[in-house]
Amino acid sequence: MEKRTEKLSRILNELNIDGLFITDLYNLRYFTGFTGTTGVALATKNGNFFFSDFRYKTQATKQVSEMGFEFVEVSRGSLQTVGEYIKKFGLKNVGFEDVNVAFSLYQTIKDIFKVELVPVGNKLVMERMVKSEEEIALIKKAVEISDVAFSEALKIIKEGVSEKEVSSYMEYIQRKLGADDRSFTTIFASGYRSAMPHGVASDKKIQKEEFITMDFGAYYEGYVSDMTRTVYYGDNISDRHVEIYNTVLEAQILGVNTIKEGIMSDDVDKVVRNFLTEKGYGEYFGHGLGHGIGAEIHELPYLSSASHIELKENMVVTSEPGLYFDGWGGVRIEDDVVVKKNGSEALNKSNKELIILH
């Protein structure tokens, strides 16, 4: 695993701070290598320290030392010990994760640390945007697992089977193939429910003549996949179903093909949004085109009007346009896409052409 302490040093210099107090579990995993759930870290110009209790001593010592951190065993008052280290090194100002820290924790560390606390905003997450080859390999593996789960799910979709049954089966297949968990709550929405972009699997039974949208992912060795496919189940597909599906597919491929190094994240969204607007469907595309993935299921950069970030080689983002019609249904198609110098690579190998199940 590459050491990421240089990235922390860069943040210390950029913000002109003496130390950086890390609490977010995703950032802890990324920068210190720690995979447990209890611990905090302090990065300074004099060294990097990870604080946790005896339960994690063996695991954390191994994990964090490989990443350039020293394990410090603490009892329940770990923040007191962090405060002692801050005092020991004479730190004047310490960055904290204002996006992650609850107000009560802020008040506690203010009292204990007795230094100027500097909010670091999304600086740490920004450092996670460009992925290493090792990270991309793990994301690819997570994607492969999800691709198989999709093809297996198609075999059990039948009239009268509930959404929960199929979604649970998909999660089981992912686990069986080595996933540590699902990367988020599986969205499985059939018929009129496919008009709900976040239609988590329900007790609704699958019926004939309806779209089924599946949005799911695997969590594999600290990295996620996130894919969506929409299929049609029935014998009498209407022209409208075919048209809506093919419009979303065209938009999704346009998104993938627009992604490349140097383009701004909001511009990718704009290209696809303009395409759907010209087709007369702009108002039915109510969310951003995509988002970054990595250690978290949603991370920077966002391919939406809310995020203006230049895409760089080896960022991994999603392209997932959707059209939703209340009471009728909807279609969303999503791939995980690696940004390349002169283009992009969609990692998902599952078919995107309209699949009709009988």
Side-chain angles (χ1 to χ4, degrees):
M1 181 63 88
E2 45 163 0
K3 280 208 179 100
R4 291 166 177 159
T5 45
E6 306 79 31
K7 293 184 173 193
L8 293 171
S9 302
R10 187 158 64 228
I11 294 170
L12 292 176
N13 290 328
E14 270 178 28
L15 295 176
N16 198 18
I17 50 179
D18 301 331
L20 184 54
F21 179 57
I22 308 173
T23 48
D24 175 77
L25 283 176
Y26 292 106
N27 284 332
L28 283 169
R29 180 159 189 166
Y30 182 84
F31 290 102
T32 76
F34 178 64
T35 59
T37 52
T38 310
V40 295
L42 179 68
T44 76
K45 290 168 184 171
N46 306 78
N48 303 297
F49 307 92
F50 179 83
F51 306 84
S52 189
D53 60 60
F54 76 97
R55 293 173 300 164
Y56 288 114
K57 187 174 183 176
T58 310
Q59 171 191 344
T61 303
K62 184 179 186 311
Q63 288 177 334
V64 308
S65 60
E66 286 172 9
M67 297 292 280
F69 277 76
E70 185 184 315
F71 177 75
V72 181
E73 188 180 334
V74 290
S75 53
R76 291 189 70 79
S78 64
L79 296 175
Q80 298 291 348
T81 312
V82 179
E84 287 161 22
Y85 272 69
I86 286 170
K87 197 175 171 188
K88 180 165 82 171
F89 292 120
L91 311 184
K92 301 279 187 293
N93 46 28
V94 172
F96 76 102
E97 296 180 280
D98 50 307
V99 179
N100 173 257
V101 166
F103 186 62
S104 56
L105 176 58
Y106 173 76
Q107 287 180 306
T108 307
I109 61 176
K110 199 169 179 241
D111 291 345
I112 294 173
F113 293 178
K114 295 185 171 55
V115 289
E116 185 198 343
L117 292 173
V118 180
V120 298
N122 56 18
K123 280 278 187 205
L124 292 160
V125 181
M126 298 281 284
E127 289 291 348
R128 286 171 22 201
M129 288 195 300
V130 174
K131 308 296 187 270
S132 65
E133 292 304 326
E134 191 180 2
E135 289 179 283
I136 290 172
L138 292 171
I139 293 169
K140 271 186 176 162
K141 180 64 184 164
V143 169
E144 280 169 21
I145 289 170
S146 295
D147 272 338
V148 176
F150 171 66
S151 61
E152 289 300 311
L154 297 184
K155 297 174 186 173
I156 68 159
I157 289 173
K158 295 278 180 290
E159 203 166 3
V161 175
S162 75
E163 295 177 345
K164 275 184 184 167
E165 275 180 81
V166 187
S167 68
S168 303
Y169 183 65
M170 293 165 84
E171 291 171 11
Y172 160 71
I173 294 289
Q174 292 193 139
R175 285 277 191 148
K176 200 175 161 192
L177 293 169
D180 301 308
D181 204 346
R182 58 189 187 185
S183 52
F184 58 96
T185 305
T186 300
I187 292 167
F188 191 101
S190 59
Y192 68 90
R193 293 190 74 253
S194 60
M196 301 158 60
H198 283 172
V200 169
S202 73
D203 291 320
K204 178 186 175 297
K205 303 274 193 277
I206 291 168
Q207 294 158 332
K208 285 259 172 138
E209 315 311 334
E210 54 185 27
F211 273 138
I212 302 170
T213 296
M214 301 165 240
D215 182 351
F216 63 102
Y219 187 61
Y220 179 79
E221 290 190 16
Y223 287 85
V224 303
S225 59
D226 183 5
M227 70 177 277
T228 309
R229 290 292 183 269
T230 301
V231 300
Y232 186 83
Y233 177 58
D235 306 309
N236 303 298
I237 190 164
S238 71
D239 292 345
R240 186 185 183 196
H241 281 93
V242 173
E243 187 197 330
I244 298 298
Y245 187 91
N246 287 332
T247 303
V248 173
L249 179 58
E250 222 179 312
Q252 198 272 342
I253 292 168
L254 175 64
V256 174
N257 292 341
T258 305
I259 291 164
K260 64 170 193 291
E261 180 162 275
I263 193 167
M264 302 308 288
S265 56
D266 50 341
D267 286 339
V268 186
D269 175 86
K270 212 172 286 171
V271 167
V272 176
R273 202 164 292 282
N274 290 345
F275 166 78
L276 288 171
T277 303
E278 278 163 27
K279 292 274 187 185
Y281 291 119
E283 65 186 289
Y284 302 104
F285 176 32
H287 54 76
L289 175 69
H291 54 86
I293 63 164
E296 281 181 273
I297 194 65
H298 294 117
E299 55 182 53
L300 290 169
Y302 286 89
L303 305 186
S304 78
S305 56
S307 170
H308 187 65
I309 291 172
E310 187 180 338
L311 297 191
K312 297 266 191 342
E313 186 179 20
N314 287 354
M315 286 181 178
V316 185
V317 295
T318 67
S319 171
E320 51 176 306
L323 295 177
Y324 312 95
F325 305 88
D326 274 351
W328 181 79
V331 174
R332 182 168 64 259
I333 305 168
E334 170 188 26
D335 287 328
D336 299 331
V337 183
V338 181
V339 179
K340 300 286 193 183
K341 276 252 184 286
N342 302 308
S344 68
E345 179 197 355
L347 298 179
N348 304 77
K349 302 295 179 246
S350 294
N351 182 15
K352 286 191 283 197
E353 298 298 322
L354 176 57
I355 293 172
I356 302 175
L357 302 172
H358 299 286

